């Protein structure tokens, strides 16, 4: 039985695509969509050994350079927000401004917020726990709980943007950001909102989290060459590099966006989700769940596998994930799509990854430029795909796919089309 024969999806009439009118990004490649885009297209990883992780078995990370909460969020931010909320607010403000919207004048009741986050405020948790052990309960911040719980990314964002519509956080591990965008798609299509600010945020570069991933064997141990450690689809890949960041989009129904003469940067045309129901952390080697999600997304967008021009792959740089994903993509989409994994530059940003990569896919579609997969020196011969490497590739992209998969076997696929 071929990949094309596994897990068929019932054909359905495509739903109207949803317009992307704003993009905001904060990543290790740069603060802001323009700087992140330039960094990703340059194809050079900023991964480095992190002094805050010194003494751990793995101390490599991709962190946001030059990010200061006081400057980028506000004077009191360090007292009220964990870093994941700070990154989220910064990216969302950029996306809203990019969309030409003003939270002071919009009808906030019709504005929703959906954010993907896998971990929440883990750095705050670790810091406050250490403080309790060293100094006693009285030393613990009264804001511990609102700083660490994952839903506060959306809660703080609603307060910052005066957004009073549906407000929620999705948690599907490393698929969280893509799940959030898919959820936002439904809110707009069913009329619950007129505008949704959506994406993902994560700041999981902390000693305990890094140790946990290292103990699982998920992280690269290329300590002598950190900038070469994240190498998706490379024959010598040995794990991912943990990163942090946020990617946020402003979504609207296209008719509404056109009516206010907004620039439509691209369209979210389809979304598919599934579960492997296979293993806690390992992907199904046959990729049956991924295939179902991909087929559902394509069907919802009203496009065929033969029409896909580009795939922004989940591409974590782990041996099992890259092999399973490549098998599905080759089996269903063939050789035609130009494939990239931007995690070679950004590292794996966990719950934010799907949103950051969706935002980068929007920029790919808009600019007709596919960023390279960093550090791909010797493509795994079992990865029978057209992987973009070395330098960006100029290509008109009408239909693109952005893949996101998470521990627990949770899969989310977005289809993004040209405006």
């Amino acid at each position: 039985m071929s990949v094309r024969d596994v897990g068929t999806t019932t054909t359905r009439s495509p739903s109207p695509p949803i317009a992307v009118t704003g993009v905001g990004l904060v990543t290790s490649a740069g603060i802001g969509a323009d700087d992140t885009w330039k960094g990703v297209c340059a194809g050079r990883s900023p991964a480095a050994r992190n002094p805050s992780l010194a003494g751990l078995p793995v101390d490599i990370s991709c962190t946001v350079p030059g990010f200061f909460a006081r400057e980028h969020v506000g004077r009191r931010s360090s007292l009220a927000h964990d870093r994941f909320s700070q990154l989220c607010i910064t990216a969302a403000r950029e996306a809203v401004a990019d969309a030409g919207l003003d939270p002071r004048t919009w009808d906030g009741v019709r504005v929703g917020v959906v954010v993907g986050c896998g971990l929440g405020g883990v750095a705050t948790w670790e810091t406050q726990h250490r403080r309790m052990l060293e100094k006693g309960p009285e030393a613990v911040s009264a804001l511990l709980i609102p700083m660490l719980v994952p839903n506060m990314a959306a809660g703080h964002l609603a307060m910052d943007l005066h957004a009073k519509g549906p407000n929620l956080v999705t948690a599907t591990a490393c698929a969280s950001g893509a799940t959030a965008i898919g959820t936002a798609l439904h809110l707009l299509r069913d009329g619950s909102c007129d505008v949704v600010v959506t994406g993902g945020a994560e700041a999981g570069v902390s000693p305990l989290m890094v140790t946990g991933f290292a103990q699982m064997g998920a992280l690269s141990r290329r300590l002598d060459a950190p900038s070469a450690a994240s190498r998706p689809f490379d024959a010598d890949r040995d794990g991912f590099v943990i990163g942090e960041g946020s990617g946020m989009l402003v979504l609207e129904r296209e008719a509404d966006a056109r009516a206010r003469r907004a620039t439509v940067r691209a369209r979210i045309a389809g979304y598919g989700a599934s579960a492997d129901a296979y293993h806690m952390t390992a992907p199904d080697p046959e990729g049956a769940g991924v295939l179902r999600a991909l087929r559902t997304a394509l069907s919802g967008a009203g496009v065929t596998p033969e029409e896909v021009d580009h795939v922004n792959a989940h591409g974590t740089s782990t041996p099992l994930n890259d092999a399973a994903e490549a098998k599905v993509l080759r089996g269903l989409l063939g050789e035609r799509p130009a494939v990239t994994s931007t995690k070679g530059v950004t590292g794996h940003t966990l719950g934010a990854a799907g949103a950051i990569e969706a935002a980068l896919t929007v920029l790919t579609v808009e600019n007709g430029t596919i960023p390279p997969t960093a550090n791909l020196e010797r493509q795994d011969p079992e990865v029978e795909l057209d992987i973009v490497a070395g330098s960006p590739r100029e290509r008109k992209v009408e239909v693109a796919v952005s893949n996101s998969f998470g521990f627990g076997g949770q899969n989310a696929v977005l289809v993004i089309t040209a405006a």
Side-chain angles (χ1 to χ4, degrees), residues 31-56:
I31 299 175
D34 287 346
D35 284 349
T36 290
W37 180 245
K38 289 174 185 175
V40 167
C41 286
R44 293 188 296 272
S45 171
R49 301 187 76 165
N50 187 335
S52 72
L53 304 176
L56 300 181

Side-chain angles (χ1 to χ4, degrees), residues 6 8 16 21 28 36 116 168 188 228 245 307 373 383 398:
V6 177
T8 56
T21 56
S28 60
T36 290
L168 51 146
L188 287 161
E307 294 177 278
T373 302
V383 175
E398 294 288 345

Side-chain angles (χ1 to χ4, degrees), residues 45-399:
S45 171
R49 301 187 76 165
N50 187 335
S52 72
L53 304 176
L56 300 181
V58 176
D59 60 5
I60 305 171
S61 68
C62 286
T63 56
V64 179
F67 184 85
F68 302 102
R70 184 185 183 93
E71 174 186 346
H72 292 98
V73 184
R75 184 173 59 86
R76 294 182 57 81
S77 177
S78 60
L79 299 176
H81 303 134
D82 183 86
R83 190 173 174 88
F84 82 107
S85 292
Q86 294 166 352
L87 299 174
C88 183
I89 292 169
T90 303
R93 286 176 179 173
E94 180 188 22
V96 171
D98 182 50
L101 293 167
D102 186 346
R104 294 172 299 180
T105 60
W106 66 18
D107 180 4
V109 173
R110 299 293 300 165
V111 178
V113 174
V114 188
V115 179
C117 183
L119 298 175
V122 291
T124 294
W125 189 308
E126 289 183 41
T127 299
Q128 294 298 319
H129 183 245
R130 190 179 308 114
R131 183 174 295 177
M132 184 182 73
L133 294 178
E134 294 174 353
K135 299 181 180 180
E138 295 77 11
V140 174
S141 171
L143 295 178
L144 166 63
I145 303 303
M147 289 178 74
L148 72 87
V149 291
N151 77 290
M152 291 307 294
H156 285 305
L157 201 52
M159 289 180 267
D160 191 74
L161 299 178
H162 310 290
K164 301 176 182 178
N167 185 277
L168 51 146
V169 163
T170 58
T172 51
C174 300
S176 298
T179 303
I181 295 170
T183 302
L185 199 69
H186 293 312
L187 289 174
L188 287 161
R189 284 175 172 169
D190 71 15
S192 297
C193 303
D194 295 329
V195 175
V196 181
V197 182
T198 184
E202 199 84 274
V205 183
S206 73
L208 184 60
M209 293 302 106
V210 172
T211 298
F213 283 117
Q215 290 292 92
M216 294 172 60
L219 301 183
S220 172
R221 293 181 180 254
R222 201 178 294 265
L223 304 184
D224 58 336
S227 63
S230 181
R231 44 201 315 113
F233 301 115
D234 192 89
D236 297 323
R237 66 191 184 276
D238 70 329
F240 68 78
V241 172
I242 194 168
E244 63 175 6
S246 179
M248 299 298 294
L249 303 175
V250 173
L251 303 186
E252 307 174 60
R253 286 180 290 275
E254 187 161 359
D256 294 342
R258 300 291 185 190
R260 67 178 188 86
R261 298 182 180 179
T263 298
V264 176
R265 306 190 68 165
R267 299 182 179 105
I268 309 295
Y271 168 64
S274 70
D276 287 351
Y278 173 76
H279 189 272
M280 287 189 295
T281 56
D284 176 357
E286 297 303 316
V290 170
L291 181 60
R292 287 194 304 274
L294 179 54
R295 278 184 164 149
T296 299
L298 293 173
S299 176
V303 300
T304 66
E306 293 74 21
E307 294 177 278
V308 177
D309 302 304
H310 165 59
V311 178
N312 189 308
H314 188 56
T316 58
S317 184
T318 58
L320 294 180
N321 174 87
D322 290 9
E325 183 176 18
K327 182 175 183 178
V328 171
L329 293 178
R330 171 70 182 197
L332 184 63
L333 305 182
E335 296 181 88
R336 182 175 184 273
V339 179
T340 194
S341 170
T342 46
K343 288 184 177 73
V345 173
T346 65
H348 193 348
T349 55
L350 310 176
I356 289 171
E357 288 153 21
L360 292 172
T361 306
V362 167
L363 297 179
T364 292
V365 169
E366 185 178 42
N367 293 309
T369 301
I370 301 172
T373 302
N375 297 319
L376 182 58
E377 298 173 352
R378 185 167 65 94
Q379 186 168 323
D380 185 338
E382 294 187 7
V383 175
E384 299 178 301
L385 299 171
D386 177 14
I387 308 289
V388 179
S391 60
R393 183 183 300 179
E394 302 302 315
R395 176 175 177 174
K396 186 176 183 180
V397 178
E398 294 288 345
V399 179

